[in-house]
Amino acid sequence: MADITRRGLMLVLSSPSGAGKTSISREILRRESGLTMSVSATTRAKRPGEIHGTDYFFVDKTEFGLMRNRGEFLEHAKVFDNYYGTPRSFVEEKLSAGLDVLFDIDWQGTQQLREEAHTDLVSVFILPPSTYELERRLNARAQDPAHVVAARMSKAADEMSHWAEYDYIIVNSDLDASVARVQSILTAERCKRDRQVGLGDFVKRLRDGQ
Ligand code: 5GP
């Protein structure tokens, strides 16, 4: 295949907790080369099984504040009672190398990225198939205490009110089908003319018979 220089894109997945976004992200990363996950910094406590540097960079509030003051975040927000932020340097490095970056961030972070990098952003909102299913998934995780699950259920409605700010909407009834949809979005967005910055040279060589 022709090697045409391409600008990396920022693929954002947002959803209320329990809509299946983490499973979709994991599977998409396994299936797609050229896509890398942005690892956020957070002040929230580590859940069982989570790994520092893989799931999040777990930092305390002082460290988070220092990072924010040094301008190290591309976006940051308070979600529930914790702070979350996307480290800037990692993302900028990958994008300029022509790699795509996947983000699992909330609607506040998505708004900030849209303001900063409108043309590079592709946003996808994942909806659960029903309220019953959302609650079932949150309970099945069994990692958070009951009062946290209850708080997340009530926050889910707020989060979902932002669906119309996103480019694409996926109702996650079936993991495999949802992953295939995200892959289709990625494939189409990668083909966009504006992202293929090397096209001019490529077509020139074609027309010159090289
Ligand atoms: P959790 O604590 O369950 O991992 O994530 C809670 C929420 O915070 C999720 O909706 C997730 O998308 C969001 N989140 C995670 N990292 C970031 C980040 O760096 N920035 C923003 N704005 N939201 C984030």
Side-chain angles (χ1 to χ4, degrees):
M1 213 184 105
D3 192 13
I4 299 167
T5 313
R6 193 172 64 79
R7 215 180 139 68
L9 59 82
M10 300 161 90
L11 180 67
V12 169
L13 296 185
S14 297
S15 74
S17 290
K21 182 182 43 178
T22 308
S23 312
I24 294 174
S25 304
R26 231 176 253 149
E27 192 51 27
I28 241 5
L29 288 165
R30 205 181 61 76
R31 292 189 198 178
E32 288 286 338
S33 60
L35 182 68
T36 179
M37 185 88 196
S38 162
V39 179
S40 300
T42 184
T43 59
R44 105 152 145 65
K46 206 193 261 186
R47 293 192 190 124
E50 284 185 329
I51 300 167
H52 179 81
T54 301
D55 297 290
Y56 282 105
F57 294 104
F58 296 96
V59 297
D60 61 24
K61 278 190 180 149
T62 311
E63 177 63 16
F64 191 95
L66 287 172
M67 292 173 82
R68 186 180 51 208
N69 294 345
R70 290 194 296 252
E72 290 177 20
F73 292 132
L74 201 52
E75 63 73 36
H76 57 86
K78 190 175 184 192
V79 186
F80 309 115
D81 288 327
N82 300 300
Y83 294 93
Y84 295 83
T86 301
R88 180 190 293 278
S89 58
F90 175 86
V91 175
E92 287 176 349
E93 207 176 281
K94 299 296 170 189
L95 289 180
S96 55
L99 287 166
D100 302 319
V101 183
L102 181 66
F103 298 81
D104 171 344
I105 60 175
D106 81 330
W107 63 271
Q108 305 174 77
T110 309
Q111 278 186 355
Q112 291 172 46
L113 288 191
R114 197 177 295 116
E115 276 157 31
E116 283 231 9
H118 180 66
T119 52
D120 291 337
L121 190 76
V122 178
S123 59
V124 181
F125 198 87
I126 316 278
L127 288 169
S130 65
T131 306
Y132 171 81
E133 184 59 20
L134 182 67
E135 193 162 13
R136 195 193 63 75
R137 287 179 194 169
L138 281 177
N139 280 318
R141 283 216 296 221
Q143 285 184 351
D144 292 318
H147 73 275
V148 174
V149 173
R152 284 181 185 225
M153 272 311 284
S154 77
K155 291 267 181 188
D158 290 348
E159 182 78 24
M160 286 190 283
S161 72
H162 292 275
W163 67 275
E165 295 159 24
Y166 285 72
D167 300 321
Y168 298 93
I169 311 294
I170 294 176
V171 177
N172 183 27
S173 317
D174 175 80
L175 176 64
D176 232 33
S178 298
V179 171
R181 286 191 173 133
V182 178
Q183 283 187 288
S184 302
I185 292 166
L186 194 55
T187 304
E189 291 285 344
R190 281 171 169 167
C191 290
K192 280 210 166 144
R193 187 188 60 230
D194 288 352
R195 295 222 162 83
Q196 301 193 71
V197 289
L199 265 183
D201 287 345
F202 176 70
V203 175
K204 185 173 182 307
R205 285 199 302 276
L206 282 180
R207 296 185 71 201
D208 289 348
Q210 289 174 31

